[in-house]
Amino acid sequence: QVQLVESGGGLVQPGGSLRLSCAASGSFLRINVMGWYRQDPGKQREWVARITSGGNTAYADSVKGRFTISRDNAKNTVFLQMNSLNPEDTAVYYCNADVDIVRFPHTTYWGQGTQVTVSS
């Protein structure tokens, strides 16, 4: 089994910054694409960003230019640097990973989420 654990969430004022981390642990051969999603009460879960094992990135229009996704393959960790935060960014942020496991390639795992609240 593979486990993803997010950290770095919290309360921040508008215009502030936060950096989220997601560390993968367990038994696996390779972590392929890793990404971030978010969900605020009353809204659908929204894709935020993703990054391939080779470092190629993509972002949702709502965060483009403000958020940066990166990863440390040696530590099996993905990061989300969030700058210029506004109240619309308030949500629970979830880490997602596509993982190759013995006999089971491309298996999807999710973290339990970390709360980000942007408020004065």
PDB file of all heavy atoms in Angstrom, residues 9-10 18 20 37-41 43-46 48 67 82 85-94 113-118:
ATOM      1  N   GLY A   9      -0.583  23.310   5.325  1.00  0.00           N
ATOM      2  CA  GLY A   9      -1.767  24.143   5.298  1.00  0.00           C
ATOM      3  C   GLY A   9      -1.882  24.998   6.544  1.00  0.00           C
ATOM      4  O   GLY A   9      -1.151  24.825   7.516  1.00  0.00           O
ATOM      5  N   GLY A  10      -2.808  25.948   6.496  1.00  0.00           N
ATOM      6  CA  GLY A  10      -3.009  26.825   7.630  1.00  0.00           C
ATOM      7  C   GLY A  10      -3.793  28.054   7.252  1.00  0.00           C
ATOM      8  O   GLY A  10      -4.390  28.128   6.180  1.00  0.00           O
ATOM      9  N   LEU A  18       1.860  30.300   1.058  1.00  0.00           N
ATOM     10  CA  LEU A  18       2.001  29.038   1.760  1.00  0.00           C
ATOM     11  C   LEU A  18       2.684  28.046   0.840  1.00  0.00           C
ATOM     12  O   LEU A  18       2.570  28.146  -0.387  1.00  0.00           O
ATOM     13  CB  LEU A  18       0.648  28.461   2.186  1.00  0.00           C
ATOM     14  CG  LEU A  18      -0.077  29.076   3.381  1.00  0.00           C
ATOM     15  CD1 LEU A  18      -1.455  28.437   3.517  1.00  0.00           C
ATOM     16  CD2 LEU A  18       0.724  28.874   4.659  1.00  0.00           C
ATOM     17  N   LEU A  20       2.766  23.923   0.364  1.00  0.00           N
ATOM     18  CA  LEU A  20       2.259  22.617   0.733  1.00  0.00           C
ATOM     19  C   LEU A  20       3.245  21.537   0.324  1.00  0.00           C
ATOM     20  O   LEU A  20       3.927  21.657  -0.695  1.00  0.00           O
ATOM     21  CB  LEU A  20       0.906  22.349   0.069  1.00  0.00           C
ATOM     22  CG  LEU A  20      -0.189  23.398   0.276  1.00  0.00           C
ATOM     23  CD1 LEU A  20      -1.480  22.938  -0.406  1.00  0.00           C
ATOM     24  CD2 LEU A  20      -0.421  23.663   1.753  1.00  0.00           C
ATOM     25  N   TYR A  37      -5.236  18.818  -6.000  1.00  0.00           N
ATOM     26  CA  TYR A  37      -6.630  19.165  -6.187  1.00  0.00           C
ATOM     27  C   TYR A  37      -7.098  19.924  -4.956  1.00  0.00           C
ATOM     28  O   TYR A  37      -6.457  19.874  -3.907  1.00  0.00           O
ATOM     29  CB  TYR A  37      -7.493  17.918  -6.373  1.00  0.00           C
ATOM     30  CG  TYR A  37      -7.237  17.156  -7.651  1.00  0.00           C
ATOM     31  CD1 TYR A  37      -6.080  16.407  -7.816  1.00  0.00           C
ATOM     32  CD2 TYR A  37      -8.164  17.180  -8.693  1.00  0.00           C
ATOM     33  CE1 TYR A  37      -5.842  15.703  -8.982  1.00  0.00           C
ATOM     34  CE2 TYR A  37      -7.937  16.477  -9.865  1.00  0.00           C
ATOM     35  CZ  TYR A  37      -6.781  15.744  -9.999  1.00  0.00           C
ATOM     36  OH  TYR A  37      -6.558  15.044 -11.160  1.00  0.00           O
ATOM     37  N   ARG A  38      -8.226  20.614  -5.074  1.00  0.00           N
ATOM     38  CA  ARG A  38      -8.774  21.306  -3.926  1.00  0.00           C
ATOM     39  C   ARG A  38     -10.295  21.251  -3.963  1.00  0.00           C
ATOM     40  O   ARG A  38     -10.902  21.110  -5.027  1.00  0.00           O
ATOM     41  CB  ARG A  38      -8.298  22.759  -3.866  1.00  0.00           C
ATOM     42  CG  ARG A  38      -8.778  23.641  -5.009  1.00  0.00           C
ATOM     43  CD  ARG A  38      -8.121  25.004  -4.932  1.00  0.00           C
ATOM     44  NE  ARG A  38      -8.605  25.911  -5.963  1.00  0.00           N
ATOM     45  CZ  ARG A  38      -8.128  27.126  -6.170  1.00  0.00           C
ATOM     46  NH1 ARG A  38      -7.138  27.597  -5.406  1.00  0.00           N
ATOM     47  NH2 ARG A  38      -8.627  27.889  -7.131  1.00  0.00           N
ATOM     48  N   GLN A  39     -10.888  21.377  -2.781  1.00  0.00           N
ATOM     49  CA  GLN A  39     -12.334  21.347  -2.671  1.00  0.00           C
ATOM     50  C   GLN A  39     -12.780  22.211  -1.499  1.00  0.00           C
ATOM     51  O   GLN A  39     -12.316  22.026  -0.374  1.00  0.00           O
ATOM     52  CB  GLN A  39     -12.849  19.922  -2.499  1.00  0.00           C
ATOM     53  CG  GLN A  39     -14.365  19.806  -2.548  1.00  0.00           C
ATOM     54  CD  GLN A  39     -14.827  18.367  -2.617  1.00  0.00           C
ATOM     55  OE1 GLN A  39     -14.127  17.456  -2.173  1.00  0.00           O
ATOM     56  NE2 GLN A  39     -15.997  18.149  -3.180  1.00  0.00           N
ATOM     57  N   ASP A  40     -13.673  23.150  -1.767  1.00  0.00           N
ATOM     58  CA  ASP A  40     -14.272  24.005  -0.757  1.00  0.00           C
ATOM     59  C   ASP A  40     -15.698  23.524  -0.539  1.00  0.00           C
ATOM     60  O   ASP A  40     -16.341  23.031  -1.473  1.00  0.00           O
ATOM     61  CB  ASP A  40     -14.260  25.463  -1.225  1.00  0.00           C
ATOM     62  CG  ASP A  40     -14.305  26.445  -0.071  1.00  0.00           C
ATOM     63  OD1 ASP A  40     -13.805  26.119   1.015  1.00  0.00           O
ATOM     64  OD2 ASP A  40     -14.840  27.556  -0.264  1.00  0.00           O
ATOM     65  N   PRO A  41     -16.236  23.647   0.676  1.00  0.00           N
ATOM     66  CA  PRO A  41     -17.607  23.203   0.929  1.00  0.00           C
ATOM     67  C   PRO A  41     -18.599  23.803  -0.056  1.00  0.00           C
ATOM     68  O   PRO A  41     -18.578  25.004  -0.326  1.00  0.00           O
ATOM     69  CB  PRO A  41     -17.884  23.691   2.352  1.00  0.00           C
ATOM     70  CG  PRO A  41     -16.532  23.697   2.996  1.00  0.00           C
ATOM     71  CD  PRO A  41     -15.585  24.129   1.903  1.00  0.00           C
ATOM     72  N   LYS A  43     -18.712  23.115  -3.216  1.00  0.00           N
ATOM     73  CA  LYS A  43     -18.169  23.138  -4.565  1.00  0.00           C
ATOM     74  C   LYS A  43     -17.604  21.774  -4.938  1.00  0.00           C
ATOM     75  O   LYS A  43     -17.322  20.941  -4.084  1.00  0.00           O
ATOM     76  CB  LYS A  43     -17.075  24.199  -4.692  1.00  0.00           C
ATOM     77  CG  LYS A  43     -17.546  25.621  -4.454  1.00  0.00           C
ATOM     78  CD  LYS A  43     -16.416  26.607  -4.645  1.00  0.00           C
ATOM     79  CE  LYS A  43     -16.882  28.034  -4.442  1.00  0.00           C
ATOM     80  NZ  LYS A  43     -15.777  29.006  -4.637  1.00  0.00           N
ATOM     81  N   GLN A  44     -17.434  21.563  -6.238  1.00  0.00           N
ATOM     82  CA  GLN A  44     -16.844  20.334  -6.728  1.00  0.00           C
ATOM     83  C   GLN A  44     -15.334  20.357  -6.534  1.00  0.00           C
ATOM     84  O   GLN A  44     -14.727  21.426  -6.451  1.00  0.00           O
ATOM     85  CB  GLN A  44     -17.162  20.133  -8.209  1.00  0.00           C
ATOM     86  CG  GLN A  44     -18.631  20.061  -8.540  1.00  0.00           C
ATOM     87  CD  GLN A  44     -18.862  19.829 -10.010  1.00  0.00           C
ATOM     88  OE1 GLN A  44     -18.509  18.770 -10.546  1.00  0.00           O
ATOM     89  NE2 GLN A  44     -19.446  20.807 -10.679  1.00  0.00           N
ATOM     90  N   ARG A  45     -14.751  19.179  -6.464  1.00  0.00           N
ATOM     91  CA  ARG A  45     -13.307  19.096  -6.389  1.00  0.00           C
ATOM     92  C   ARG A  45     -12.699  19.619  -7.689  1.00  0.00           C
ATOM     93  O   ARG A  45     -13.139  19.261  -8.783  1.00  0.00           O
ATOM     94  CB  ARG A  45     -12.860  17.664  -6.123  1.00  0.00           C
ATOM     95  CG  ARG A  45     -11.354  17.524  -5.955  1.00  0.00           C
ATOM     96  CD  ARG A  45     -10.966  16.164  -5.400  1.00  0.00           C
ATOM     97  NE  ARG A  45     -11.458  15.968  -4.045  1.00  0.00           N
ATOM     98  CZ  ARG A  45     -11.111  14.947  -3.271  1.00  0.00           C
ATOM     99  NH1 ARG A  45     -10.273  14.029  -3.717  1.00  0.00           N
ATOM    100  NH2 ARG A  45     -11.624  14.836  -2.060  1.00  0.00           N
ATOM    101  N   GLU A  46     -11.694  20.451  -7.554  1.00  0.00           N
ATOM    102  CA  GLU A  46     -11.090  21.149  -8.673  1.00  0.00           C
ATOM    103  C   GLU A  46      -9.632  20.750  -8.824  1.00  0.00           C
ATOM    104  O   GLU A  46      -8.876  20.749  -7.849  1.00  0.00           O
ATOM    105  CB  GLU A  46     -11.206  22.665  -8.456  1.00  0.00           C
ATOM    106  CG  GLU A  46     -10.492  23.518  -9.485  1.00  0.00           C
ATOM    107  CD  GLU A  46     -10.426  24.984  -9.092  1.00  0.00           C
ATOM    108  OE1 GLU A  46     -10.548  25.281  -7.883  1.00  0.00           O
ATOM    109  OE2 GLU A  46     -10.278  25.836  -9.986  1.00  0.00           O
ATOM    110  N   VAL A  48      -5.885  21.457  -9.641  1.00  0.00           N
ATOM    111  CA  VAL A  48      -5.066  22.648  -9.458  1.00  0.00           C
ATOM    112  C   VAL A  48      -3.807  22.604 -10.308  1.00  0.00           C
ATOM    113  O   VAL A  48      -3.520  23.544 -11.057  1.00  0.00           O
ATOM    114  CB  VAL A  48      -4.685  22.832  -7.978  1.00  0.00           C
ATOM    115  CG1 VAL A  48      -3.726  24.010  -7.809  1.00  0.00           C
ATOM    116  CG2 VAL A  48      -5.939  23.045  -7.128  1.00  0.00           C
ATOM    117  N   PHE A  67       0.735  29.970  -8.494  1.00  0.00           N
ATOM    118  CA  PHE A  67       1.150  28.717  -7.862  1.00  0.00           C
ATOM    119  C   PHE A  67       2.253  28.063  -8.682  1.00  0.00           C
ATOM    120  O   PHE A  67       2.285  28.180  -9.918  1.00  0.00           O
ATOM    121  CB  PHE A  67      -0.018  27.735  -7.766  1.00  0.00           C
ATOM    122  CG  PHE A  67      -1.105  28.130  -6.801  1.00  0.00           C
ATOM    123  CD1 PHE A  67      -1.142  29.385  -6.220  1.00  0.00           C
ATOM    124  CD2 PHE A  67      -2.100  27.217  -6.482  1.00  0.00           C
ATOM    125  CE1 PHE A  67      -2.149  29.746  -5.335  1.00  0.00           C
ATOM    126  CE2 PHE A  67      -3.110  27.560  -5.599  1.00  0.00           C
ATOM    127  CZ  PHE A  67      -3.138  28.822  -5.028  1.00  0.00           C
ATOM    128  N   MET A  82       2.323  28.454  -3.108  1.00  0.00           N
ATOM    129  CA  MET A  82       1.153  29.271  -3.383  1.00  0.00           C
ATOM    130  C   MET A  82       1.444  30.711  -2.971  1.00  0.00           C
ATOM    131  O   MET A  82       1.663  30.990  -1.787  1.00  0.00           O
ATOM    132  CB  MET A  82      -0.071  28.741  -2.642  1.00  0.00           C
ATOM    133  CG  MET A  82      -0.368  27.274  -2.929  1.00  0.00           C
ATOM    134  SD  MET A  82      -1.891  26.693  -2.139  1.00  0.00           S
ATOM    135  CE  MET A  82      -1.432  26.861  -0.410  1.00  0.00           C
ATOM    136  N   LEU A  85      -2.153  34.717  -2.476  1.00  0.00           N
ATOM    137  CA  LEU A  85      -3.378  33.998  -2.135  1.00  0.00           C
ATOM    138  C   LEU A  85      -4.546  34.956  -1.926  1.00  0.00           C
ATOM    139  O   LEU A  85      -4.374  36.074  -1.425  1.00  0.00           O
ATOM    140  CB  LEU A  85      -3.160  33.167  -0.879  1.00  0.00           C
ATOM    141  CG  LEU A  85      -2.279  31.929  -1.068  1.00  0.00           C
ATOM    142  CD1 LEU A  85      -1.801  31.399   0.273  1.00  0.00           C
ATOM    143  CD2 LEU A  85      -3.058  30.847  -1.821  1.00  0.00           C
ATOM    144  N   ASN A  86      -5.718  34.509  -2.322  1.00  0.00           N
ATOM    145  CA  ASN A  86      -6.939  35.269  -2.123  1.00  0.00           C
ATOM    146  C   ASN A  86      -7.988  34.360  -1.493  1.00  0.00           C
ATOM    147  O   ASN A  86      -7.815  33.138  -1.444  1.00  0.00           O
ATOM    148  CB  ASN A  86      -7.433  35.877  -3.439  1.00  0.00           C
ATOM    149  CG  ASN A  86      -7.671  34.847  -4.526  1.00  0.00           C
ATOM    150  OD1 ASN A  86      -8.526  33.984  -4.382  1.00  0.00           O
ATOM    151  ND2 ASN A  86      -6.924  34.940  -5.616  1.00  0.00           N
ATOM    152  N   PRO A  87      -9.075  34.930  -0.981  1.00  0.00           N
ATOM    153  CA  PRO A  87     -10.084  34.102  -0.308  1.00  0.00           C
ATOM    154  C   PRO A  87     -10.650  32.985  -1.172  1.00  0.00           C
ATOM    155  O   PRO A  87     -11.077  31.960  -0.631  1.00  0.00           O
ATOM    156  CB  PRO A  87     -11.171  35.124   0.074  1.00  0.00           C
ATOM    157  CG  PRO A  87     -10.423  36.398   0.247  1.00  0.00           C
ATOM    158  CD  PRO A  87      -9.363  36.370  -0.817  1.00  0.00           C
ATOM    159  N   GLU A  88     -10.650  33.158  -2.481  1.00  0.00           N
ATOM    160  CA  GLU A  88     -11.152  32.116  -3.372  1.00  0.00           C
ATOM    161  C   GLU A  88     -10.264  30.874  -3.376  1.00  0.00           C
ATOM    162  O   GLU A  88     -10.683  29.822  -3.867  1.00  0.00           O
ATOM    163  CB  GLU A  88     -11.293  32.655  -4.795  1.00  0.00           C
ATOM    164  CG  GLU A  88     -12.436  33.652  -4.988  1.00  0.00           C
ATOM    165  CD  GLU A  88     -12.168  34.989  -4.304  1.00  0.00           C
ATOM    166  OE1 GLU A  88     -11.028  35.499  -4.422  1.00  0.00           O
ATOM    167  OE2 GLU A  88     -13.084  35.516  -3.660  1.00  0.00           O
ATOM    168  N   ASP A  89      -9.065  30.980  -2.844  1.00  0.00           N
ATOM    169  CA  ASP A  89      -8.171  29.836  -2.756  1.00  0.00           C
ATOM    170  C   ASP A  89      -8.450  28.980  -1.527  1.00  0.00           C
ATOM    171  O   ASP A  89      -7.841  27.920  -1.366  1.00  0.00           O
ATOM    172  CB  ASP A  89      -6.715  30.293  -2.726  1.00  0.00           C
ATOM    173  CG  ASP A  89      -6.296  30.995  -4.006  1.00  0.00           C
ATOM    174  OD1 ASP A  89      -6.623  30.491  -5.099  1.00  0.00           O
ATOM    175  OD2 ASP A  89      -5.638  32.051  -3.916  1.00  0.00           O
ATOM    176  N   THR A  90      -9.324  29.428  -0.661  1.00  0.00           N
ATOM    177  CA  THR A  90      -9.664  28.666   0.538  1.00  0.00           C
ATOM    178  C   THR A  90     -10.283  27.331   0.149  1.00  0.00           C
ATOM    179  O   THR A  90     -11.253  27.280  -0.607  1.00  0.00           O
ATOM    180  CB  THR A  90     -10.631  29.451   1.422  1.00  0.00           C
ATOM    181  OG1 THR A  90      -9.978  30.627   1.914  1.00  0.00           O
ATOM    182  CG2 THR A  90     -11.086  28.612   2.602  1.00  0.00           C
ATOM    183  N   ALA A  91      -9.721  26.253   0.663  1.00  0.00           N
ATOM    184  CA  ALA A  91     -10.192  24.914   0.334  1.00  0.00           C
ATOM    185  C   ALA A  91      -9.356  23.897   1.093  1.00  0.00           C
ATOM    186  O   ALA A  91      -8.331  24.231   1.689  1.00  0.00           O
ATOM    187  CB  ALA A  91     -10.083  24.652  -1.172  1.00  0.00           C
ATOM    188  N   VAL A  92      -9.806  22.658   1.055  1.00  0.00           N
ATOM    189  CA  VAL A  92      -8.964  21.548   1.449  1.00  0.00           C
ATOM    190  C   VAL A  92      -8.178  21.117   0.220  1.00  0.00           C
ATOM    191  O   VAL A  92      -8.758  20.867  -0.840  1.00  0.00           O
ATOM    192  CB  VAL A  92      -9.781  20.365   1.995  1.00  0.00           C
ATOM    193  CG1 VAL A  92      -8.867  19.190   2.324  1.00  0.00           C
ATOM    194  CG2 VAL A  92     -10.563  20.792   3.229  1.00  0.00           C
ATOM    195  N   TYR A  93      -6.877  21.048   0.352  1.00  0.00           N
ATOM    196  CA  TYR A  93      -6.007  20.696  -0.756  1.00  0.00           C
ATOM    197  C   TYR A  93      -5.580  19.241  -0.626  1.00  0.00           C
ATOM    198  O   TYR A  93      -5.099  18.817   0.430  1.00  0.00           O
ATOM    199  CB  TYR A  93      -4.785  21.614  -0.792  1.00  0.00           C
ATOM    200  CG  TYR A  93      -5.093  22.977  -1.347  1.00  0.00           C
ATOM    201  CD1 TYR A  93      -5.863  23.886  -0.620  1.00  0.00           C
ATOM    202  CD2 TYR A  93      -4.640  23.366  -2.607  1.00  0.00           C
ATOM    203  CE1 TYR A  93      -6.176  25.130  -1.131  1.00  0.00           C
ATOM    204  CE2 TYR A  93      -4.941  24.611  -3.115  1.00  0.00           C
ATOM    205  CZ  TYR A  93      -5.709  25.491  -2.383  1.00  0.00           C
ATOM    206  OH  TYR A  93      -6.007  26.729  -2.897  1.00  0.00           O
ATOM    207  N   TYR A  94      -5.740  18.496  -1.712  1.00  0.00           N
ATOM    208  CA  TYR A  94      -5.451  17.074  -1.736  1.00  0.00           C
ATOM    209  C   TYR A  94      -4.313  16.762  -2.692  1.00  0.00           C
ATOM    210  O   TYR A  94      -4.271  17.280  -3.808  1.00  0.00           O
ATOM    211  CB  TYR A  94      -6.679  16.276  -2.173  1.00  0.00           C
ATOM    212  CG  TYR A  94      -7.871  16.396  -1.252  1.00  0.00           C
ATOM    213  CD1 TYR A  94      -8.822  17.396  -1.443  1.00  0.00           C
ATOM    214  CD2 TYR A  94      -8.047  15.511  -0.201  1.00  0.00           C
ATOM    215  CE1 TYR A  94      -9.913  17.511  -0.607  1.00  0.00           C
ATOM    216  CE2 TYR A  94      -9.140  15.615   0.639  1.00  0.00           C
ATOM    217  CZ  TYR A  94     -10.070  16.623   0.430  1.00  0.00           C
ATOM    218  OH  TYR A  94     -11.159  16.725   1.265  1.00  0.00           O
ATOM    219  N   GLY A 113      -5.751  15.280   2.720  1.00  0.00           N
ATOM    220  CA  GLY A 113      -6.007  16.696   2.564  1.00  0.00           C
ATOM    221  C   GLY A 113      -5.434  17.552   3.674  1.00  0.00           C
ATOM    222  O   GLY A 113      -5.235  17.096   4.798  1.00  0.00           O
ATOM    223  N   THR A 114      -5.182  18.803   3.339  1.00  0.00           N
ATOM    224  CA  THR A 114      -4.738  19.795   4.308  1.00  0.00           C
ATOM    225  C   THR A 114      -5.517  21.085   4.063  1.00  0.00           C
ATOM    226  O   THR A 114      -5.702  21.507   2.922  1.00  0.00           O
ATOM    227  CB  THR A 114      -3.215  20.030   4.215  1.00  0.00           C
ATOM    228  OG1 THR A 114      -2.804  20.952   5.231  1.00  0.00           O
ATOM    229  CG2 THR A 114      -2.810  20.574   2.850  1.00  0.00           C
ATOM    230  N   GLN A 115      -5.989  21.695   5.135  1.00  0.00           N
ATOM    231  CA  GLN A 115      -6.844  22.872   5.031  1.00  0.00           C
ATOM    232  C   GLN A 115      -6.024  24.127   4.788  1.00  0.00           C
ATOM    233  O   GLN A 115      -5.055  24.400   5.502  1.00  0.00           O
ATOM    234  CB  GLN A 115      -7.672  23.041   6.309  1.00  0.00           C
ATOM    235  CG  GLN A 115      -8.541  24.297   6.334  1.00  0.00           C
ATOM    236  CD  GLN A 115      -9.694  24.227   5.369  1.00  0.00           C
ATOM    237  OE1 GLN A 115     -10.441  23.238   5.361  1.00  0.00           O
ATOM    238  NE2 GLN A 115      -9.845  25.259   4.544  1.00  0.00           N
ATOM    239  N   VAL A 116      -6.435  24.895   3.788  1.00  0.00           N
ATOM    240  CA  VAL A 116      -5.879  26.215   3.523  1.00  0.00           C
ATOM    241  C   VAL A 116      -7.002  27.231   3.647  1.00  0.00           C
ATOM    242  O   VAL A 116      -8.009  27.127   2.956  1.00  0.00           O
ATOM    243  CB  VAL A 116      -5.241  26.298   2.128  1.00  0.00           C
ATOM    244  CG1 VAL A 116      -4.845  27.740   1.803  1.00  0.00           C
ATOM    245  CG2 VAL A 116      -4.032  25.383   2.044  1.00  0.00           C
ATOM    246  N   THR A 117      -6.831  28.198   4.525  1.00  0.00           N
ATOM    247  CA  THR A 117      -7.826  29.240   4.725  1.00  0.00           C
ATOM    248  C   THR A 117      -7.181  30.596   4.506  1.00  0.00           C
ATOM    249  O   THR A 117      -6.187  30.929   5.159  1.00  0.00           O
ATOM    250  CB  THR A 117      -8.427  29.180   6.133  1.00  0.00           C
ATOM    251  OG1 THR A 117      -9.019  27.896   6.348  1.00  0.00           O
ATOM    252  CG2 THR A 117      -9.491  30.254   6.312  1.00  0.00           C
ATOM    253  N   VAL A 118      -7.742  31.370   3.589  1.00  0.00           N
ATOM    254  CA  VAL A 118      -7.239  32.705   3.275  1.00  0.00           C
ATOM    255  C   VAL A 118      -8.279  33.710   3.753  1.00  0.00           C
ATOM    256  O   VAL A 118      -9.370  33.800   3.188  1.00  0.00           O
ATOM    257  CB  VAL A 118      -6.964  32.880   1.783  1.00  0.00           C
ATOM    258  CG1 VAL A 118      -6.331  34.241   1.521  1.00  0.00           C
ATOM    259  CG2 VAL A 118      -6.063  31.759   1.279  1.00  0.00           C
TER     260      VAL A 118
END
